[in-house]
Amino acid sequence: MTFRDVFTHLGSILASLMFLWAVFQQYFPYQLRSSIEKYSQRFVSFVYPYIQITFTEFTGERLMRSEAYSAIETYLSSISSTQAKRLKADIVKNSNQSLVLSMDDHEEVADEFNGVKLWWASGKNVAKTQSFSFYPITDEKRYYKLTFHKRHRDLIIGPYLSHVIKEGKEIKVRNRQRKLYTNNGSMWSHVVFEHPATFETLALDPEKKREIIEDLIIFSKAEEFYSRIGRAWKRGYLLYGPPGTGKSTMIAAMANLLGYDLYDLELTAVKDNTELRKLLIETSSKSIIVIEDIDCSLDLTGQRRKKMEREEGGDKKDPKQKIPQEETKPSQVTLSGLLNFIDGLWSACGGEKLIVFTTNHVENLDPALIRKGRMDKHVELSYCSFEAFKVLARNYLKLESHHLFDPIQRLFAETKMTPADVAEHLMPKMASGDPEACLESLVRGLELSKMKAEDEEKPERITRVRKSEEELPVTGKNRAND
């Protein structure tokens, strides 16, 4: 028998089966067909040892895209790139514009979990819908189908699917385009977050830098710990120090280290505590909520102090204190509302959040605002040290050592200069970018800063000497002169 004869014989068999199926559908009663199909499925399931689970792309009558489908799609992207023969490519709009591959429709890939092998297949159902236009509209419903042996049901339905969903969400977060949000009243708007700051380029003492990095990484992996001790998964940071010491740069470095979004909260634009709560609810997990210059945002920090002074009958006004809030600012956000924002019941919404305050004058802040449990870690960013200068020299001039480093080190021990001022001196002023000229500029700047500090200290020293002389006991010689 030739191949043509075999093919002809097979074709006639298939035609006969199709004819019998058509007769069955046409002439057999519906109840009989339903019973036959039900028992045939039971027979097949008894013989066929595999279980199949289908995850459709849309749920709720196509109103929402399924989170499970999206997580599975992301999880399978790495497996698909190595196994599938037909792939789909897409650009993820993150800072690196990454190319992500996923398996095309009707492809299958294998996966393994705890020594158990299973299979994922992608599919698509296409149905034509009625339309009054010239071209028919098709309704595409994509899905993923998971197939595994029935003896592994508990392992796959429990731990494996949880692992797939969790890993898929984490990959999606790593690949997402991170955003910088700001508020206009009770609404957030955003731009793409592209700040290049990292802890490697941050001008900070190496030991303090290492301590902060370790603290951040431990926090980002402590979900189970926070759940076990019954605390919301959040942590407060207070960054304080003179202007130009790198507080905003550190916040950007923290966001880049952890891969978090940034929410820059402008308190003066918030009408009241209700709007503040609404803004908090709309923040996502894996984010940093920042309130810069908290002592200047609203007159919250001195309210209790002023109330205490009024109760004690103190009529004396402190010129350093701000004008009362109601006379200058329309916002009705209160200290109580802000404290609830930080660690009240609503602060647990979303989870995995850092709340960062910055200030130039930590002494002006209300102790209730910065106590442990609200601002858990206090980080002082002070004037530039020699170790921080070496980081800046490496960043700006690509220098690890230079003969001018010794006088610069000596001058740093004798005077104060912020990292921002140091960076300005190290910024190449010419196209050639001569490193020695930049270092000489820094030496002159440090010497000038030292002279100014000494000049400012002279009147204070004279005043202290005179005051000391006035406080000396009157001697016999002085009495005789009198």
Side-chain angles (χ1 to χ4, degrees), residues 67-83:
E67 289 187 15
Y69 180 92
S70 180
I72 292 168
E73 183 179 43
T74 307
Y75 172 80
L76 293 176
S77 61
S78 58
I79 303 174
S80 303
S81 61
T82 57
Q83 295 187 26

Side-chain angles (χ1 to χ4, degrees), residues 395-406:
N395 294 343
Y396 284 78
L397 306 176
K398 298 182 180 179
L399 288 178
E400 295 292 341
S401 62
H402 195 274
H403 67 87
L404 288 176
F405 276 21
D406 290 335

Side-chain angles (χ1 to χ4, degrees), residues 337-353:
L338 188 59
L339 296 181
N340 276 324
F341 175 87
I342 299 169
D343 68 347
L345 293 174
W346 295 92
S347 65
C349 298
E352 194 172 359
K353 292 178 183 176

Side-chain angles (χ1 to χ4, degrees), residues 46-80:
F46 180 77
V47 177
Y48 186 68
Y50 291 95
I51 296 173
Q52 292 183 335
I53 302 176
T54 301
F55 300 86
T56 56
E57 184 176 10
F58 292 96
T59 58
E61 299 180 356
R62 289 188 63 104
L63 295 179
M64 294 181 62
R65 196 168 192 262
S66 169
E67 289 187 15
Y69 180 92
S70 180
I72 292 168
E73 183 179 43
T74 307
Y75 172 80
L76 293 176
S77 61
S78 58
I79 303 174
S80 303

Side-chain angles (χ1 to χ4, degrees), residues 67-162:
E67 289 187 15
Y69 180 92
S70 180
I72 292 168
E73 183 179 43
T74 307
Y75 172 80
L76 293 176
S77 61
S78 58
I79 303 174
S80 303
S81 61
T82 57
Q83 295 187 26
K85 295 180 179 179
R86 292 181 297 117
L87 297 164
K88 296 184 292 185
D90 194 12
I91 295 288
V92 175
K93 294 181 180 179
N94 58 12
S95 56
N96 301 320
Q97 293 291 302
S98 304
L99 183 68
V100 176
L101 300 176
S102 60
M103 59 180 175
D104 202 355
D105 299 325
H106 308 295
E107 276 287 309
E108 184 177 274
V109 294
D111 193 14
E112 189 171 326
F113 182 74
N114 290 353
V116 175
K117 195 169 184 180
L118 39 91
W119 297 267
W120 286 99
S122 62
K124 179 176 66 174
N125 294 325
V126 180
K128 290 184 179 181
T129 60
Q130 293 182 354
S131 173
F132 295 101
S133 62
F134 181 76
Y135 297 100
I137 298 176
T138 58
D139 184 19
E140 296 182 347
K141 296 181 179 179
R142 288 182 170 81
Y143 61 86
Y144 284 108
K145 185 173 288 185
L146 172 63
T147 305
F148 57 93
H149 200 283
K150 62 182 180 182
R151 66 170 172 264
H152 303 303
R153 176 192 289 267
D154 294 337
L155 176 68
I156 301 303
I157 293 179
Y160 175 70
L161 286 179
S162 298

Side-chain angles (χ1 to χ4, degrees), residues 413-431:
E414 298 172 352
T415 188
K416 296 177 180 178
M417 183 176 284
T418 64
D421 291 332
V422 173
E424 183 59 29
H425 284 288
L426 298 182
M427 187 75 71
K429 304 297 189 298
M430 300 173 292

